[in-house]
């Protein structure tokens, strides 16, 4: 396998990038992984679920915080620092109305001075701080200005998802030129994100942006071996993907207990089933799974689909 020249990072994905999924992505060559976004405010209230989400479980894992008040981000950063993650990432790209309505996520891109203060506040805990931005918000593509503000506050890297907040996840809207402009605007590493699923997508993104690496989100869902493929290795076939699915969901059960794990596993399973013959009917069963033995029975059905 050729030596990798660029960083391959797993994107934070709420509801998906838990400890079990991150471990598989690391095994297949992800250089860095991130928890899903965790509320800074909830951490400062001692919320148990948020604390659990913030456990990195591997020294290559960063913890992503969302919030808008520097003092609260600072307090949360100190709580997270005690868990020894690789870094703290600040969410400045979430487009969800409830989050944006609170002035958090991508709403921070309306206020570059606040971005600088938030990064400074998080930096006081001593960990590296990174930020994840979009191209911009309200039709204004100001990611270069926001990245400069983050750098001025002491950020050690920025990731740019090349869509405006209002473009959500609309296909065909990733703007590579704005990522290239960010790369020109700052001296810290820049990671490019958005719609990278194949080695060709990655090569185009790196060529057009000059970015120092890429962040991979949805292409890893149902296919954590995508990191091996992006590093020049073989793509996973259906049999390997299903074997990984079994390992993945067994690890979730061991980590969280059967009830919670199986509820969360349903969405993962739908991604693993994507592209298989008869996937629609299988997904209808997947979303009703309650127990690991029901999951094993479904996997037997799936196996017949490509062994018959
Ligand atoms: C289900 C889902 C959950 C996400 N959760 C987060 C999150 O917690 N924090 C974050 O910064 N971005 C989150 N994102 C955005 C992704 O990290 C990424 O920027 C986006 O999916 C584009 O990359 P992709 O085309 O490789 O998926 C989420 C996206 C999806 C689809």
């Amino acid at each position: 396998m050729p030596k990798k020249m660029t960083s391959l990072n797993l994107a934070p994905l709420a509801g998906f990038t838990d400890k079990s999924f991150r471990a598989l992505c690391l095994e297949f060559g992800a250089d860095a992984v991130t928890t899903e976004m965790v509320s800074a405010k909830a951490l400062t209230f001692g919320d148990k679920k948020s604390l659990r989400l913030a456990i990195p479980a591997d020294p290559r894992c960063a913890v992503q915080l969302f919030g808008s008040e520097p003092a609260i981000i600072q307090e949360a950063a100190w709580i997270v620092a005690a868990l020894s993650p690789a870094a703290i990432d600040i969410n400045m790209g979430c487009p969800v109305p409830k989050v944006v309505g609170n002035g958090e996520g991508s709403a921070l891109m309306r206020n570059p001075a606040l971005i600088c203060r938030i990064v400074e506040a998080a930096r006081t805990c001593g960990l590296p701080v990174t930020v994840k931005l979009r191209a911009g918000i309200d039709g204004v593509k100001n990611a270069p200005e926001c990245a400069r503000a983050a750098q001025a506050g002491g950020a050690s890297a920025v990731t740019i998802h090349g869509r405006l907040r209002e473009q959500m996840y609309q296909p065909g809207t990733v703007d590579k030129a704005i990522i290239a402009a960010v790369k020109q605007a700052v001296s810290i590493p820049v990671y490019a994100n958005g719609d990278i699923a194949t080695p060709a997508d990655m090569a185009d993104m790196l060529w057009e942006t000059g970015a120092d690496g890429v962040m991979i989100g949805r292409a890893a869902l149902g296919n954590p071996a995508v990191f091996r493929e992006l590093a020049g290795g073989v793509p996973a076939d259906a049999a390997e993907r299903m074997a990984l699915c079994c390992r993945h969901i067994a690890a979730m059960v061991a980590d969280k207990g059967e009830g919670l794990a199986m509820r969360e596993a349903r969405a993962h399973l739908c991604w693993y089933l994507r592209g298989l013959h008869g996937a629609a009917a299988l997904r209808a069963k997947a979303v009703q799974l309650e127990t690991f033995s029901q999951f094993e029975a479904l996997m037997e059905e799936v196996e017949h689909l490509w062994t018959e």
Side-chain angles (χ1 to χ4, degrees):
M1 200 181 291
K3 187 173 169 356
K4 280 191 298 185
M5 302 299 288
T6 55
S7 279
L8 294 175
N9 304 336
L10 173 67
L13 297 164
F16 290 97
T17 50
D18 65 0
K19 172 181 153 183
S20 309
F21 186 65
R22 297 193 306 260
L24 279 178
C25 292
L26 286 166
E27 178 183 322
F28 281 96
D31 294 295
V33 297
T34 310
T35 65
E36 66 179 78
M37 62 185 207
V38 182
S39 162
K41 198 174 263 176
L43 281 177
T44 65
F45 291 157
D47 176 60
K48 291 221 162 45
K49 184 171 173 233
S50 303
L51 274 168
R52 190 176 159 86
L53 287 177
I55 296 171
D58 187 287
R60 292 163 289 180
C61 181
V63 174
Q64 191 187 60
L65 296 178
F66 73 98
S68 63
E69 294 167 57
I72 290 175
I73 294 275
Q74 177 165 337
E75 197 181 332
W78 280 82
I79 293 168
V80 167
L83 304 170
S84 302
I88 289 179
D89 186 63
I90 312 282
N91 183 318
M92 302 191 178
C94 181
V96 172
K98 195 172 154 217
V99 172
V100 174
N102 284 336
E104 300 164 335
S106 56
L108 294 172
M109 294 190 72
R110 293 180 178 135
N111 190 346
L114 180 58
I115 288 178
C116 179
R117 285 173 47 222
I118 284 177
V119 175
E120 279 171 350
R123 282 282 296 125
T124 61
C125 77
L127 287 172
V129 173
T130 60
V131 302
K132 183 159 175 282
L133 299 163
R134 279 193 173 236
I137 186 166
D138 308 327
V140 181
K141 291 193 173 177
N142 65 342
E145 189 190 348
C146 293
R148 270 197 302 270
Q151 178 175 266
S156 49
V158 290
T159 299
I160 313 295
H161 174 194
R163 291 183 171 92
L164 288 164
R165 179 255 167 163
E166 50 275 25
Q167 290 172 326
M168 304 297 279
Y169 300 98
Q170 233 171 286
T173 55
V174 172
D175 181 352
K176 294 178 183 142
I178 197 72
I179 303 176
V182 171
K183 177 63 189 160
Q184 293 300 314
V186 294
S187 55
I188 53 178
V190 173
Y191 301 120
N193 170 241
D195 288 355
I196 300 169
T198 65
D201 295 339
M202 184 174 86
D204 286 349
M205 180 63 98
L206 292 171
W207 174 254
E208 288 182 43
T209 63
D212 302 279
V214 292
M215 181 176 266
I216 307 299
R218 289 162 295 171
L221 293 176
N223 187 20
V226 73
F227 290 99
R228 180 183 67 199
E229 185 184 351
L230 291 172
V234 289
D237 61 13
E240 186 181 14
R241 286 209 347 251
M242 290 309 126
L244 285 173
C245 177
C246 292
R247 271 183 62 202
H248 179 177
I249 291 173
M252 288 176 76
V253 170
D255 182 40
K256 310 180 185 202
E258 190 177 35
L260 176 61
M262 291 315 299
R263 279 195 301 282
E264 292 185 3
R266 294 169 185 164
H268 280 289
L269 187 50
C270 290
W271 282 94
Y272 279 104
L273 294 171
R274 224 172 17 145
L276 285 186
H277 184 67
L282 292 167
R283 275 201 300 269
K285 291 187 184 173
V287 295
Q288 294 176 9
L289 289 179
E290 301 277 353
T291 65
F292 191 71
S293 55
Q294 287 170 350
F295 163 71
E296 286 178 312
L298 186 64
M299 283 291 104
E300 267 175 39
E301 256 183 70
V302 172
E303 200 173 327
H304 292 137
L305 288 177
W306 75 82
T307 53
E308 271 167 8

